[in-house]
Amino acid sequence: MGFLVHGSSGPIARFRRRLFPGRNSLARGSDRFEALLLKLVILAALLAIPVAAAVGSANHGRQVAAAAADSTGRHPATAYLLKAAPVRIVDSESVGTDTSTTEATWTDSRGARHTGGVLAAPGSPAGSAMPIWIDARGELTTAPRNASTAVFDSVLVGLWLWFAVVAALVLVQRVVRLVLDRQRAAAWERAWAAYPRSGSWP
Protein backbone atom coordinates (compact mmCIF):
# COMPACT_ATOMS: atom_id res chain seq x y z
CA MET A 1 0.00 0.00 0.00
CA GLY A 2 3.04 2.24 0.38
CA PHE A 3 3.20 2.89 -3.37
CA LEU A 4 -0.21 4.56 -3.14
CA VAL A 5 1.26 7.11 -0.77
CA HIS A 6 4.84 7.47 -1.93
CA GLY A 7 4.71 6.27 -5.53
CA SER A 8 4.18 8.30 -8.66
CA SER A 9 0.45 7.48 -8.64
CA GLY A 10 -0.18 8.03 -4.93
CA PRO A 11 -2.29 10.90 -3.50
CA ILE A 12 0.79 12.81 -2.36
CA ALA A 13 2.33 12.59 -5.82
CA ARG A 14 -0.92 13.68 -7.43
CA PHE A 15 -1.19 16.60 -5.03
CA ARG A 16 2.36 17.65 -5.87
CA ARG A 17 1.58 17.57 -9.57
CA ARG A 18 -1.50 19.70 -8.98
CA LEU A 19 0.49 22.14 -6.88
CA PHE A 20 3.48 22.29 -9.24
CA PRO A 21 2.19 21.55 -12.75
CA GLY A 22 5.01 23.55 -14.34
CA ARG A 23 7.23 20.47 -14.09
CA ASN A 24 4.85 18.64 -16.41
CA SER A 25 5.30 19.46 -20.10
CA LEU A 26 1.65 18.52 -20.70
CA ALA A 27 0.33 21.03 -18.18
CA ARG A 28 -2.34 23.30 -19.58
CA GLY A 29 -3.01 26.92 -18.77
CA SER A 30 -6.02 25.90 -16.67
CA ASP A 31 -3.78 23.50 -14.71
CA ARG A 32 -1.36 26.31 -13.89
CA PHE A 33 -4.22 28.62 -12.91
CA GLU A 34 -5.67 25.93 -10.63
CA ALA A 35 -2.24 25.40 -9.07
CA LEU A 36 -1.89 29.14 -8.42
CA LEU A 37 -5.31 29.22 -6.78
CA LEU A 38 -4.42 26.19 -4.65
CA LYS A 39 -1.22 27.89 -3.48
CA LEU A 40 -3.19 31.03 -2.60
CA VAL A 41 -5.72 28.97 -0.64
CA ILE A 42 -2.97 27.28 1.37
CA LEU A 43 -1.25 30.61 1.99
CA ALA A 44 -4.51 32.26 3.06
CA ALA A 45 -5.27 29.36 5.43
CA LEU A 46 -1.85 29.75 7.03
CA LEU A 47 -2.23 33.53 7.33
CA ALA A 48 -5.64 33.03 8.96
CA ILE A 49 -4.03 31.23 11.90
CA PRO A 50 -2.52 34.34 13.56
CA VAL A 51 -5.70 36.29 12.75
CA ALA A 52 -7.85 33.67 14.48
CA ALA A 53 -5.41 33.63 17.41
CA ALA A 54 -5.67 37.43 17.71
CA VAL A 55 -9.46 37.26 17.69
CA GLY A 56 -9.39 34.53 20.34
CA SER A 57 -7.01 36.59 22.46
CA ALA A 58 -9.26 39.64 22.20
CA ASN A 59 -12.25 37.51 23.15
CA HIS A 60 -10.30 36.21 26.15
CA GLY A 61 -9.75 39.77 27.35
CA ARG A 62 -13.44 40.56 27.01
CA GLN A 63 -14.42 37.35 28.81
CA VAL A 64 -12.10 38.09 31.73
CA ALA A 65 -13.39 41.66 31.98
CA ALA A 66 -16.99 40.43 31.85
CA ALA A 67 -16.29 37.86 34.57
CA ALA A 68 -14.74 40.56 36.77
CA ALA A 69 -17.75 42.83 36.17
CA ASP A 70 -20.14 40.00 37.03
CA SER A 71 -18.31 39.35 40.29
CA THR A 72 -18.70 42.97 41.35
CA GLY A 73 -21.82 43.34 43.46
CA ARG A 74 -22.65 39.66 43.52
CA HIS A 75 -22.17 37.59 46.63
CA PRO A 76 -22.75 33.96 47.54
CA ALA A 77 -25.34 33.32 50.23
CA THR A 78 -27.36 30.49 51.71
CA ALA A 79 -31.12 30.18 51.43
CA TYR A 80 -33.27 27.92 53.61
CA LEU A 81 -36.36 26.26 52.24
CA LEU A 82 -39.59 27.34 53.89
CA LYS A 83 -41.32 24.20 52.69
CA ALA A 84 -40.38 20.87 51.18
CA ALA A 85 -39.64 20.81 47.49
CA PRO A 86 -42.03 18.76 45.33
CA VAL A 87 -40.92 15.19 44.91
CA ARG A 88 -41.34 15.29 41.16
CA ILE A 89 -42.36 17.83 38.54
CA VAL A 90 -44.34 16.64 35.56
CA ASP A 91 -45.40 19.03 32.81
CA SER A 92 -45.88 19.05 29.05
CA GLU A 93 -42.17 19.64 28.39
CA SER A 94 -40.27 17.61 30.98
CA VAL A 95 -40.69 14.62 33.23
CA GLY A 96 -38.75 14.18 36.43
CA THR A 97 -36.67 17.37 36.29
CA ASP A 98 -33.58 17.57 38.51
CA THR A 99 -34.58 20.80 40.29
CA SER A 100 -37.72 22.69 41.21
CA THR A 101 -38.41 26.26 42.33
CA THR A 102 -39.32 26.26 46.00
CA GLU A 103 -40.00 29.16 48.37
CA ALA A 104 -37.05 29.93 50.63
CA THR A 105 -35.64 32.68 52.81
CA TRP A 106 -32.17 34.23 53.15
CA THR A 107 -30.44 37.14 54.82
CA ASP A 108 -28.27 39.70 53.01
CA SER A 109 -25.07 41.32 54.26
CA ARG A 110 -27.07 44.08 56.01
CA GLY A 111 -29.13 41.56 57.95
CA ALA A 112 -32.31 42.13 55.96
CA ARG A 113 -34.45 39.08 55.37
CA HIS A 114 -35.64 38.14 51.87
CA THR A 115 -37.92 35.47 50.48
CA GLY A 116 -38.25 34.06 47.00
CA GLY A 117 -38.17 30.97 44.88
CA VAL A 118 -34.87 29.09 44.67
CA LEU A 119 -33.90 25.94 42.83
CA ALA A 120 -33.95 22.86 45.03
CA ALA A 121 -33.58 19.15 44.41
CA PRO A 122 -36.99 17.40 44.30
CA GLY A 123 -37.97 16.10 47.70
CA SER A 124 -35.65 18.40 49.68
CA PRO A 125 -37.21 18.87 53.14
CA ALA A 126 -38.12 22.22 54.64
CA GLY A 127 -35.13 23.91 56.24
CA SER A 128 -32.65 22.54 53.70
CA ALA A 129 -29.78 24.90 52.89
CA MET A 130 -29.42 25.95 49.24
CA PRO A 131 -26.48 27.93 47.85
CA ILE A 132 -27.59 31.08 46.04
CA TRP A 133 -26.14 34.30 44.63
CA ILE A 134 -27.51 37.71 45.58
CA ASP A 135 -26.82 41.26 44.36
CA ALA A 136 -26.05 44.38 46.39
CA ARG A 137 -29.74 44.76 47.27
CA GLY A 138 -29.98 41.19 48.49
CA GLU A 139 -32.09 40.05 45.53
CA LEU A 140 -31.53 36.75 43.79
CA THR A 141 -29.24 36.86 40.78
CA THR A 142 -27.32 34.45 38.60
CA ALA A 143 -23.84 33.21 39.39
CA PRO A 144 -21.06 35.32 37.88
CA ARG A 145 -19.22 34.05 34.86
CA ASN A 146 -16.13 32.07 35.73
CA ALA A 147 -12.85 33.53 34.46
CA SER A 148 -11.42 30.02 34.18
CA THR A 149 -13.78 29.32 31.28
CA ALA A 150 -12.49 32.33 29.35
CA VAL A 151 -9.54 30.38 27.95
CA PHE A 152 -11.73 27.53 26.72
CA ASP A 153 -14.27 29.90 25.17
CA SER A 154 -11.53 31.94 23.49
CA VAL A 155 -9.89 28.86 22.00
CA LEU A 156 -13.26 27.80 20.61
CA VAL A 157 -13.83 31.23 19.08
CA GLY A 158 -10.41 31.18 17.42
CA LEU A 159 -10.85 27.62 16.11
CA TRP A 160 -14.35 28.24 14.76
CA LEU A 161 -13.16 31.38 12.99
CA TRP A 162 -10.23 29.53 11.40
CA PHE A 163 -12.45 26.62 10.38
CA ALA A 164 -14.93 29.06 8.82
CA VAL A 165 -12.18 30.78 6.83
CA VAL A 166 -10.71 27.47 5.66
CA ALA A 167 -14.16 26.15 4.73
CA ALA A 168 -14.83 29.29 2.65
CA LEU A 169 -11.45 28.98 0.92
CA VAL A 170 -11.97 25.30 0.16
CA LEU A 171 -15.45 26.04 -1.19
CA VAL A 172 -14.06 28.70 -3.55
CA GLN A 173 -11.31 26.35 -4.70
CA ARG A 174 -13.79 23.53 -5.30
CA VAL A 175 -16.13 25.75 -7.31
CA VAL A 176 -13.28 27.05 -9.47
CA ARG A 177 -11.98 23.53 -10.03
CA LEU A 178 -15.47 22.36 -11.02
CA VAL A 179 -15.69 25.14 -13.60
CA LEU A 180 -12.21 24.34 -14.93
CA ASP A 181 -13.01 20.62 -15.10
CA ARG A 182 -16.08 21.36 -17.19
CA GLN A 183 -14.06 23.59 -19.48
CA ARG A 184 -11.35 20.95 -19.85
CA ALA A 185 -13.95 18.26 -20.56
CA ALA A 186 -15.55 20.46 -23.20
CA ALA A 187 -12.14 21.09 -24.77
CA TRP A 188 -11.49 17.33 -24.88
CA GLU A 189 -14.86 16.77 -26.58
CA ARG A 190 -14.14 19.45 -29.17
CA ALA A 191 -10.69 18.01 -29.85
CA TRP A 192 -12.10 14.50 -30.11
CA ALA A 193 -14.84 15.66 -32.45
CA ALA A 194 -12.26 17.35 -34.71
CA TYR A 195 -9.98 14.30 -34.75
CA PRO A 196 -10.06 12.68 -38.19
CA ARG A 197 -11.55 9.19 -38.22
CA SER A 198 -10.42 6.82 -40.97
CA GLY A 199 -11.75 3.63 -39.44
CA SER A 200 -8.42 2.72 -37.81
CA TRP A 201 -5.77 4.35 -35.71
CA PRO A 202 -2.84 5.94 -37.62
Side-chain angles (χ1 to χ4, degrees):
M1 187 174 179
F3 70 93
L4 293 177
V5 178
H6 303 289
S8 60
S9 62
I12 295 179
R14 290 196 299 269
F15 180 77
R16 288 176 179 174
R17 287 195 295 270
R18 286 179 53 199
L19 196 59
F20 304 104
R23 299 178 180 178
N24 187 350
S25 59
L26 299 178
R28 298 157 292 188
S30 61
D31 296 327
R32 293 188 174 87
F33 177 78
E34 183 181 350
L36 175 61
L37 178 62
L38 184 57
K39 292 173 185 176
L40 292 176
V41 167
I42 295 174
L43 178 61
L46 293 176
L47 292 177
I49 295 177
V51 175
V55 172
S57 178
N59 181 75
H60 178 263
R62 290 192 297 269
Q63 291 279 352
V64 171
D70 283 351
S71 298
T72 303
R74 300 190 189 194
H75 309 282
T78 301
Y80 297 91
L81 300 183
L82 294 176
K83 60 181 180 180
V87 175
R88 190 179 186 186
I89 297 178
V90 179
D91 53 33
S92 59
E93 297 181 354
S94 60
V95 177
T97 54
D98 294 333
T99 57
S100 61
T101 301
T102 307
E103 189 176 3
T105 182
W106 64 90
T107 303
D108 62 22
S109 58
R110 297 169 298 179
R113 185 181 178 188
H114 301 264
T115 57
V118 302
L119 293 178
S124 298
S128 298
M130 298 294 164
I132 59 173
W133 284 88
I134 58 176
D135 58 22
R137 297 175 300 176
E139 301 296 333
L140 285 173
T141 186
T142 57
R145 280 172 281 191
N146 193 342
S148 63
T149 63
V151 174
F152 179 75
D153 292 341
S154 301
V155 170
L156 282 183
V157 168
L159 285 177
W160 277 115
L161 176 61
W162 187 75
F163 286 149
V165 171
V166 171
L169 292 171
V170 171
L171 178 61
V172 171
Q173 191 269 340
R174 292 291 184 180
V175 170
V176 172
R177 185 181 180 186
L178 177 62
V179 173
L180 293 176
D181 284 344
R182 289 182 176 179
Q183 292 178 350
R184 288 188 282 248
W188 271 106
E189 290 181 0
R190 290 192 299 268
W192 180 252
Y195 188 82
R197 293 175 173 81
S198 59
S200 61
W201 291 99

Short mmCIF file of all heavy atoms in Angstrom, two decimals, residues 135-171:
data_model
loop_
_atom_site.label_atom_id
_atom_site.label_comp_id
_atom_site.label_asym_id
_atom_site.label_seq_id
_atom_site.Cartn_x
_atom_site.Cartn_y
_atom_site.Cartn_z
N ASP A 135 -27.47 40.01 44.76
CA ASP A 135 -26.82 41.26 44.36
C ASP A 135 -26.67 42.18 45.56
O ASP A 135 -26.90 41.78 46.71
CB ASP A 135 -27.61 41.92 43.23
CG ASP A 135 -29.06 42.21 43.62
OD1 ASP A 135 -29.36 42.28 44.85
OD2 ASP A 135 -29.90 42.38 42.71
N ALA A 136 -26.29 43.42 45.30
CA ALA A 136 -26.05 44.38 46.39
C ALA A 136 -27.31 44.68 47.18
O ALA A 136 -27.24 45.08 48.35
CB ALA A 136 -25.46 45.66 45.83
N ARG A 137 -28.47 44.50 46.57
CA ARG A 137 -29.74 44.76 47.27
C ARG A 137 -30.26 43.52 47.99
O ARG A 137 -31.31 43.56 48.63
CB ARG A 137 -30.79 45.24 46.27
CG ARG A 137 -30.44 46.57 45.60
CD ARG A 137 -31.48 46.91 44.55
NE ARG A 137 -31.55 45.87 43.52
CZ ARG A 137 -32.44 45.88 42.52
NH1 ARG A 137 -33.33 46.85 42.44
NH2 ARG A 137 -32.43 44.91 41.62
N GLY A 138 -29.55 42.41 47.84
CA GLY A 138 -29.98 41.19 48.49
C GLY A 138 -30.93 40.36 47.66
O GLY A 138 -31.44 39.34 48.14
N GLU A 139 -31.17 40.79 46.41
CA GLU A 139 -32.09 40.05 45.53
C GLU A 139 -31.35 38.90 44.84
O GLU A 139 -30.14 38.95 44.61
CB GLU A 139 -32.69 40.98 44.49
CG GLU A 139 -33.47 42.16 45.08
CD GLU A 139 -34.70 41.71 45.86
OE1 GLU A 139 -35.24 40.63 45.54
OE2 GLU A 139 -35.11 42.44 46.79
N LEU A 140 -32.11 37.88 44.49
CA LEU A 140 -31.53 36.75 43.79
C LEU A 140 -30.96 37.18 42.43
O LEU A 140 -31.54 38.01 41.74
CB LEU A 140 -32.58 35.66 43.56
CG LEU A 140 -32.99 34.82 44.78
CD1 LEU A 140 -34.16 33.93 44.41
CD2 LEU A 140 -31.82 33.99 45.28
N THR A 141 -29.84 36.61 42.08
CA THR A 141 -29.24 36.86 40.78
C THR A 141 -28.52 35.59 40.32
O THR A 141 -28.43 34.61 41.06
CB THR A 141 -28.25 38.04 40.85
OG1 THR A 141 -27.78 38.35 39.52
CG2 THR A 141 -27.05 37.71 41.73
N THR A 142 -28.03 35.61 39.12
CA THR A 142 -27.32 34.45 38.60
C THR A 142 -25.87 34.46 39.07
O THR A 142 -25.33 35.49 39.45
CB THR A 142 -27.35 34.44 37.06
OG1 THR A 142 -26.78 35.67 36.57
CG2 THR A 142 -28.79 34.32 36.55
N ALA A 143 -25.25 33.30 39.01
CA ALA A 143 -23.84 33.21 39.39
C ALA A 143 -22.98 33.97 38.39
O ALA A 143 -23.29 33.99 37.18
CB ALA A 143 -23.42 31.75 39.46
N PRO A 144 -21.92 34.61 38.83
CA PRO A 144 -21.06 35.32 37.88
C PRO A 144 -20.34 34.36 36.96
O PRO A 144 -20.11 33.19 37.29
CB PRO A 144 -20.07 36.05 38.81
CG PRO A 144 -20.03 35.23 40.04
CD PRO A 144 -21.42 34.69 40.21
N ARG A 145 -19.99 34.85 35.79
CA ARG A 145 -19.22 34.05 34.86
C ARG A 145 -17.85 33.73 35.44
O ARG A 145 -17.25 34.56 36.10
CB ARG A 145 -19.08 34.78 33.53
CG ARG A 145 -20.30 34.66 32.65
CD ARG A 145 -20.20 35.56 31.44
NE ARG A 145 -20.53 36.93 31.79
CZ ARG A 145 -20.73 37.90 30.91
NH1 ARG A 145 -20.61 37.65 29.61
NH2 ARG A 145 -21.04 39.12 31.31
N ASN A 146 -17.40 32.53 35.18
CA ASN A 146 -16.13 32.07 35.73
C ASN A 146 -15.00 32.44 34.78
O ASN A 146 -15.03 32.11 33.60
CB ASN A 146 -16.17 30.55 35.93
CG ASN A 146 -15.02 30.06 36.78
OD1 ASN A 146 -14.03 30.75 36.94
ND2 ASN A 146 -15.16 28.85 37.30
N ALA A 147 -13.98 33.12 35.30
CA ALA A 147 -12.85 33.53 34.46
C ALA A 147 -12.08 32.34 33.93
O ALA A 147 -11.42 32.43 32.89
CB ALA A 147 -11.92 34.44 35.26
N SER A 148 -12.17 31.20 34.64
CA SER A 148 -11.42 30.02 34.18
C SER A 148 -11.95 29.46 32.87
O SER A 148 -11.25 28.74 32.17
CB SER A 148 -11.45 28.94 35.26
OG SER A 148 -12.78 28.49 35.48
N THR A 149 -13.21 29.79 32.54
CA THR A 149 -13.78 29.32 31.28
C THR A 149 -13.43 30.24 30.12
O THR A 149 -13.74 29.91 28.96
CB THR A 149 -15.31 29.22 31.39
OG1 THR A 149 -15.86 30.52 31.63
CG2 THR A 149 -15.72 28.29 32.54
N ALA A 150 -12.82 31.38 30.41
CA ALA A 150 -12.49 32.33 29.35
C ALA A 150 -11.51 31.74 28.35
O ALA A 150 -11.62 31.97 27.14
CB ALA A 150 -11.93 33.63 29.96
N VAL A 151 -10.53 30.98 28.85
CA VAL A 151 -9.54 30.38 27.95
C VAL A 151 -10.21 29.39 27.00
O VAL A 151 -9.98 29.41 25.78
CB VAL A 151 -8.43 29.68 28.76
CG1 VAL A 151 -7.48 28.94 27.82
CG2 VAL A 151 -7.67 30.70 29.59
N PHE A 152 -11.04 28.53 27.55
CA PHE A 152 -11.73 27.53 26.72
C PHE A 152 -12.62 28.21 25.67
O PHE A 152 -12.60 27.83 24.49
CB PHE A 152 -12.56 26.61 27.61
CG PHE A 152 -13.33 25.57 26.85
CD1 PHE A 152 -12.69 24.46 26.33
CD2 PHE A 152 -14.70 25.71 26.66
CE1 PHE A 152 -13.40 23.49 25.62
CE2 PHE A 152 -15.41 24.74 25.96
CZ PHE A 152 -14.76 23.63 25.45
N ASP A 153 -13.40 29.21 26.10
CA ASP A 153 -14.27 29.90 25.17
C ASP A 153 -13.47 30.62 24.09
O ASP A 153 -13.87 30.63 22.91
CB ASP A 153 -15.15 30.92 25.91
CG ASP A 153 -16.15 30.25 26.83
OD1 ASP A 153 -16.42 29.05 26.63
OD2 ASP A 153 -16.66 30.91 27.75
N SER A 154 -12.35 31.20 24.45
CA SER A 154 -11.53 31.94 23.49
C SER A 154 -10.90 31.00 22.47
O SER A 154 -10.81 31.34 21.29
CB SER A 154 -10.46 32.74 24.22
OG SER A 154 -11.04 33.65 25.13
N VAL A 155 -10.45 29.85 22.93
CA VAL A 155 -9.89 28.86 22.00
C VAL A 155 -10.96 28.41 21.01
O VAL A 155 -10.70 28.29 19.80
CB VAL A 155 -9.32 27.66 22.77
CG1 VAL A 155 -8.96 26.54 21.81
CG2 VAL A 155 -8.08 28.08 23.56
N LEU A 156 -12.18 28.19 21.50
CA LEU A 156 -13.26 27.80 20.61
C LEU A 156 -13.56 28.88 19.58
O LEU A 156 -13.78 28.58 18.40
CB LEU A 156 -14.53 27.50 21.43
CG LEU A 156 -14.59 26.15 22.15
CD1 LEU A 156 -15.93 26.00 22.84
CD2 LEU A 156 -14.37 25.01 21.17
N VAL A 157 -13.56 30.13 20.02
CA VAL A 157 -13.83 31.23 19.08
C VAL A 157 -12.77 31.27 17.99
O VAL A 157 -13.08 31.40 16.80
CB VAL A 157 -13.88 32.58 19.84
CG1 VAL A 157 -13.87 33.74 18.86
CG2 VAL A 157 -15.12 32.65 20.71
N GLY A 158 -11.49 31.15 18.40
CA GLY A 158 -10.41 31.18 17.42
C GLY A 158 -10.49 30.00 16.45
O GLY A 158 -10.31 30.17 15.24
N LEU A 159 -10.77 28.81 16.97
CA LEU A 159 -10.85 27.62 16.11
C LEU A 159 -12.02 27.71 15.14
O LEU A 159 -11.87 27.39 13.95
CB LEU A 159 -10.98 26.37 16.98
CG LEU A 159 -9.72 25.90 17.70
CD1 LEU A 159 -10.02 24.69 18.56
CD2 LEU A 159 -8.60 25.57 16.70
N TRP A 160 -13.18 28.14 15.64
CA TRP A 160 -14.35 28.24 14.76
C TRP A 160 -14.11 29.27 13.67
O TRP A 160 -14.53 29.06 12.52
CB TRP A 160 -15.59 28.60 15.58
CG TRP A 160 -16.25 27.41 16.22
CD1 TRP A 160 -16.37 27.15 17.55
CD2 TRP A 160 -16.86 26.31 15.55
NE1 TRP A 160 -17.01 25.96 17.75
CE2 TRP A 160 -17.33 25.42 16.54
CE3 TRP A 160 -17.07 25.99 14.21
CZ2 TRP A 160 -17.98 24.23 16.24
CZ3 TRP A 160 -17.72 24.80 13.90
CH2 TRP A 160 -18.18 23.94 14.90
N LEU A 161 -13.46 30.39 14.00
CA LEU A 161 -13.16 31.38 12.99
C LEU A 161 -12.22 30.82 11.93
O LEU A 161 -12.45 31.01 10.72
CB LEU A 161 -12.53 32.62 13.64
CG LEU A 161 -12.06 33.73 12.68
CD1 LEU A 161 -13.24 34.25 11.88
CD2 LEU A 161 -11.39 34.86 13.45
N TRP A 162 -11.17 30.10 12.37
CA TRP A 162 -10.23 29.53 11.40
C TRP A 162 -10.91 28.48 10.54
O TRP A 162 -10.71 28.43 9.32
CB TRP A 162 -9.04 28.92 12.15
CG TRP A 162 -7.95 28.47 11.21
CD1 TRP A 162 -7.06 29.25 10.54
CD2 TRP A 162 -7.68 27.11 10.82
NE1 TRP A 162 -6.23 28.47 9.77
CE2 TRP A 162 -6.58 27.16 9.91
CE3 TRP A 162 -8.23 25.89 11.15
CZ2 TRP A 162 -6.04 26.01 9.35
CZ3 TRP A 162 -7.70 24.74 10.58
CH2 TRP A 162 -6.61 24.81 9.69
N PHE A 163 -11.73 27.63 11.15
CA PHE A 163 -12.45 26.62 10.38
C PHE A 163 -13.38 27.27 9.36
O PHE A 163 -13.52 26.78 8.23
CB PHE A 163 -13.27 25.72 11.32
CG PHE A 163 -12.44 24.74 12.10
CD1 PHE A 163 -12.83 24.34 13.37
CD2 PHE A 163 -11.27 24.24 11.58
CE1 PHE A 163 -12.06 23.44 14.10
CE2 PHE A 163 -10.49 23.33 12.29
CZ PHE A 163 -10.89 22.94 13.55
N ALA A 164 -14.03 28.37 9.75
CA ALA A 164 -14.93 29.06 8.82
C ALA A 164 -14.16 29.63 7.63
O ALA A 164 -14.61 29.53 6.48
CB ALA A 164 -15.69 30.17 9.55
N VAL A 165 -13.00 30.22 7.91
CA VAL A 165 -12.18 30.78 6.83
C VAL A 165 -11.71 29.67 5.89
O VAL A 165 -11.78 29.79 4.66
CB VAL A 165 -10.99 31.56 7.41
CG1 VAL A 165 -10.01 31.95 6.30
CG2 VAL A 165 -11.47 32.80 8.14
N VAL A 166 -11.20 28.57 6.48
CA VAL A 166 -10.71 27.47 5.66
C VAL A 166 -11.85 26.86 4.84
O VAL A 166 -11.67 26.54 3.66
CB VAL A 166 -10.06 26.40 6.56
CG1 VAL A 166 -9.74 25.14 5.75
CG2 VAL A 166 -8.78 26.95 7.18
N ALA A 167 -13.03 26.71 5.46
CA ALA A 167 -14.16 26.15 4.73
C ALA A 167 -14.54 27.04 3.54
O ALA A 167 -14.85 26.54 2.45
CB ALA A 167 -15.36 25.99 5.66
N ALA A 168 -14.52 28.37 3.74
CA ALA A 168 -14.83 29.29 2.65
C ALA A 168 -13.79 29.19 1.54
O ALA A 168 -14.13 29.19 0.34
CB ALA A 168 -14.93 30.72 3.18
N LEU A 169 -12.51 29.09 1.92
CA LEU A 169 -11.45 28.98 0.92
C LEU A 169 -11.57 27.68 0.13
O LEU A 169 -11.42 27.67 -1.10
CB LEU A 169 -10.09 29.05 1.61
CG LEU A 169 -9.71 30.40 2.23
CD1 LEU A 169 -8.44 30.26 3.08
CD2 LEU A 169 -9.51 31.45 1.15
N VAL A 170 -11.82 26.60 0.83
CA VAL A 170 -11.97 25.30 0.16
C VAL A 170 -13.17 25.32 -0.78
O VAL A 170 -13.12 24.78 -1.90
CB VAL A 170 -12.11 24.17 1.20
CG1 VAL A 170 -12.49 22.86 0.52
CG2 VAL A 170 -10.81 24.00 1.96
N LEU A 171 -14.26 25.96 -0.35
CA LEU A 171 -15.45 26.04 -1.19
C LEU A 171 -15.14 26.80 -2.49
O LEU A 171 -15.54 26.37 -3.59
CB LEU A 171 -16.58 26.72 -0.44
CG LEU A 171 -17.89 26.93 -1.22
CD1 LEU A 171 -18.45 25.58 -1.65
CD2 LEU A 171 -18.90 27.70 -0.39
#
